């Protein structure tokens, strides 16, 4: 955890955009958002799909393009 926090602080200082991966619960999403991570991916937001399947499903285009946080 300390290394993760150091990495987050480094990204904030250097304006590097972060993506939180393996977000599976609302609690994980909340912690990531409170840490300042705006982009998230994981089973909480949707199951893995082949890109052309994701793009062909119009209901998923909004979720694909925008962060839920």
């Amino acid at each position: 955890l300390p290394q993760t926090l150091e990495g987050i602080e480094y990204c904030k200082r250097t304006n590097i955009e972060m993506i939180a991966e393996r977000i599976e619960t609302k609690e994980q999403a909340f912690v990531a958002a409170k840490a300042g991570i705006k982009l998230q991916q994981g089973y909480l937001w949707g199951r893995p799909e082949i890109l052309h399947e994701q793009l062909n499903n119009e209901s998923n285009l909004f979720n694909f393009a925008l962060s839920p946080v």
Side-chain angles (χ1 to χ4, degrees):
L1 185 61
Q3 291 175 332
T4 301
L5 296 176
E6 288 175 14
I8 292 170
E9 290 304 316
Y10 174 80
C11 288
K12 287 179 182 178
R13 284 193 311 273
T14 57
N15 294 318
I16 295 174
E17 192 72 48
M18 298 170 279
I19 300 175
E21 297 183 350
R22 299 184 73 189
I23 300 297
E24 298 180 6
T25 67
K26 290 179 182 179
E27 292 79 17
Q28 290 171 328
F30 178 77
V31 169
K34 290 294 280 183
I37 302 173
K38 297 177 184 175
L39 302 173
Q40 302 180 7
Q41 69 180 34
Y43 277 101
L44 179 63
W45 309 118
R47 66 176 182 82
E49 293 184 21
I50 297 172
L51 181 59
H52 71 82
E53 290 176 0
Q54 180 77 17
L55 295 175
N56 287 334
N57 185 349
E58 289 184 23
S59 66
N60 286 333
L61 287 179
F62 182 77
N63 290 330
F64 181 76
L66 300 174
S67 169
V69 178

